[in-house]
Amino acid sequence: MSTSQTPTTATVSTPTDREIHVERIFNAPRDRVWAAFTRPELLAQWWGRGNELDVERWEFERGGHWRFVEHSDGETHGFEGRFREITPEERLVYTFEWDGMPGHVIVENNTYTDLGDGRTKLSVVSQFHTPEERDGMLQSGMEGGMNESYAALDAVLAQTSW
């Protein structure tokens, strides 16, 4: 089976009043997609949608702390969390918090599925404390920003030098 090289967008759904589900197919093997999500030098190239991103902390272990600061239009935006589960190349679970809304912690569960044809399906379940928090995230422009980040990730995955 041949793989399409056409850019795709993520599919976003809201199966419950406290969850957002995202699915996205990447034209890259699972080990490369995993590496792009877990190696800070690669994360810095795509996570901020092309904006400068400082990886201030990266303790990649269960209970470890991560923190990114994105620089955009003269402003800075900090994001951080803790790793809850790391199953190499299969599953990554962590908390996610934005400095602009401290105390509103999301639990992100990422699953990486090898499609067997050189492509990888990323499935993300984001769990919120309240329906209002989930709705606020949906209204924040999250879907557009996420698709911009994933497009930047496509470019990183297409590189052959790493």
Side-chain angles (χ1 to χ4, degrees):
M1 172 188 259
S2 68
T3 59
S4 169
Q5 296 302 314
T6 306
T8 90
T9 58
T11 302
V12 177
S13 63
T14 53
T16 74
D17 65 352
R18 293 181 41 225
E19 290 182 346
I20 298 173
H21 287 201
V22 174
E23 286 193 356
R24 172 67 149 73
I25 305 290
F26 293 97
N27 290 315
R30 183 168 64 175
D31 63 331
R32 284 181 67 83
V33 175
W34 175 262
F37 272 82
T38 61
R39 289 176 41 191
E41 71 277 12
L42 297 174
L43 274 162
Q45 294 178 43
W46 67 267
W47 199 87
R49 302 171 318 282
N51 295 319
E52 179 186 348
L53 185 78
D54 295 328
V55 178
E56 290 188 348
R57 176 170 260 166
W58 188 255
E59 300 166 355
F60 192 60
E61 60 190 26
R62 188 172 185 279
H65 184 197
W66 64 271
R67 179 169 173 76
F68 304 155
V69 176
E70 180 182 346
H71 304 271
S72 171
D73 300 323
E75 297 180 358
T76 59
H77 302 277
F79 305 89
E80 66 185 295
R82 299 249 177 207
F83 293 105
R84 290 187 167 190
E85 180 183 335
I86 299 170
T87 304
E89 295 188 18
E90 292 179 14
R91 185 171 145 108
L92 184 59
V93 181
Y94 53 88
T95 61
F96 177 95
E97 186 174 0
W98 173 48
D99 287 355
M101 293 183 68
H104 295 272
V105 180
I106 304 163
V107 177
E108 299 265 323
N109 181 340
N110 294 356
T111 304
Y112 304 84
T113 304
D114 181 348
L115 297 179
D117 60 0
R119 296 179 309 148
T120 303
K121 179 171 80 171
L122 171 66
S123 302
V124 180
V125 177
S126 299
Q127 179 76 47
F128 297 80
H129 287 285
T130 67
E132 293 78 20
E133 288 180 13
R134 184 210 64 181
D135 293 348
M137 178 64 79
L138 289 168
Q139 295 165 5
S140 73
M142 156 257 181
E143 187 172 352
M146 175 190 61
N147 278 309
E148 289 174 9
S149 289
Y150 287 165
L153 174 53
D154 285 332
V156 170
L157 292 169
Q159 296 172 6
T160 58
S161 61
W162 60 274

